[in-house]
Amino acid sequence: IRVSELECELSAVKRQALKAQIQPHFIFNSLAAIQARYRDGFSEGDKAIEQFAQHLRLITDSSGEDIIPFEREIRNVLNYFELENLRADRKLALFLDLQYTDFSVPVLSLQPLVENAIRHGGLREKPDGYIQLSSDKTDSAAVITVSDNGNGFDVHTVARGVGIENTQKRFAFVNAEMQIASTPGCGTTVTITIPLE
């Protein structure tokens, strides 16, 4: 009975996560940005359309998956990040430091962390705003960190949003631990530790 309850809970959490990827404002802003790209030339517009189509295809294909290879999730993040930069006047930098990649993660689990940094970190107000995504390995676990040089916040007083809570629950289903460290004015770092079993 408990296993059945956990499967139902996981299914509900996953549906919430997938639904969060198709926000109307994201689709509207992406289409407006794509339209603007076509004014720069057909090749630029076609590239933007391809990125947007890949994003929608990912969401559609993910309905039947729970866990995917880490490298595939990284490709998802890169595509999403390109779409976000497409919509903005001030471009952000995304740095990758991937020392270990031979493990799996819940599908669409890293994108909300990158999205949260973009939405709430104040990175576009900085001349050197960036996000860094790293992965490494200990004796018993894969370790992912998503950090930024944004505004930061007091983790004791600021409530976590639905997207972050949802992501934390999804990692918990694979026995992974997610920790958030942040200081006002000094950016934020999210660390995910995934047991290698």
Side-chain angles (χ1 to χ4, degrees):
I1 293 174
R2 181 55 181 155
V3 169
S4 179
E5 290 174 347
L6 285 172
E7 287 177 348
C8 289
E9 186 177 349
L10 174 58
S11 179
V13 170
K14 184 181 173 185
R15 284 196 303 271
Q16 292 171 8
L18 294 176
K19 182 179 178 181
Q21 310 307 315
I22 315 179
Q23 296 292 342
H25 69 84
F26 178 82
I27 293 177
F28 175 80
N29 290 338
S30 294
L31 290 174
I34 290 168
Q35 184 181 36
R37 279 302 172 109
Y38 271 110
R39 297 191 188 103
D40 298 331
F42 283 108
S43 62
E44 289 296 313
D46 288 346
K47 180 181 176 182
I49 281 284
E50 181 180 355
Q51 289 172 331
F52 187 61
Q54 287 175 358
H55 180 74
L56 295 181
R57 172 55 63 91
L58 164 67
I59 295 167
T60 302
D61 291 348
S62 296
S63 61
E65 296 180 292
D66 291 323
I67 306 295
I68 63 172
F70 174 69
E71 289 182 319
R72 183 173 157 197
E73 180 69 4
I74 290 297
R75 290 197 296 272
N76 299 340
V77 168
L78 290 174
N79 188 67
Y80 169 79
F81 189 80
E82 288 298 321
L83 280 172
E84 282 288 355
N85 262 346
L86 188 69
R87 299 164 47 197
D89 294 329
R90 182 184 292 278
K91 308 302 181 187
L92 299 177
L94 176 62
F95 301 118
L96 299 180
D97 180 18
L98 308 179
Q99 300 298 319
Y100 179 66
T101 60
D102 190 19
F103 62 98
S104 297
V105 296
V107 64
L108 293 171
S109 57
L110 297 180
Q111 177 184 318
L113 301 179
V114 173
E115 180 178 3
N116 200 64
I118 294 173
R119 292 276 183 274
H120 306 295
L123 297 174
R124 296 205 188 278
E125 284 69 50
K126 292 177 171 286
D128 60 344
Y130 72 84
I131 298 169
Q132 178 165 313
L133 201 159
S134 307
S135 66
D136 211 335
K137 179 184 178 182
T138 67
D139 291 338
S140 60
V143 180
I144 306 168
T145 57
V146 181
S147 57
D148 64 67
N149 66 336
N151 295 333
F153 61 95
D154 186 339
V155 296
H156 301 293
T157 60
V158 176
R160 296 182 184 183
V162 173
I164 295 299
E165 290 288 349
N166 188 288
T167 299
Q168 192 162 27
K169 287 181 181 179
R170 298 181 70 212
F171 275 115
F173 279 113
V174 294
N175 295 319
E177 181 179 340
M178 189 175 96
Q179 296 181 325
I180 301 176
S182 187
T183 303
C186 297
T188 301
T189 298
V190 179
T191 303
I192 302 145
T193 305
I194 305 174
L196 293 176
E197 300 177 352

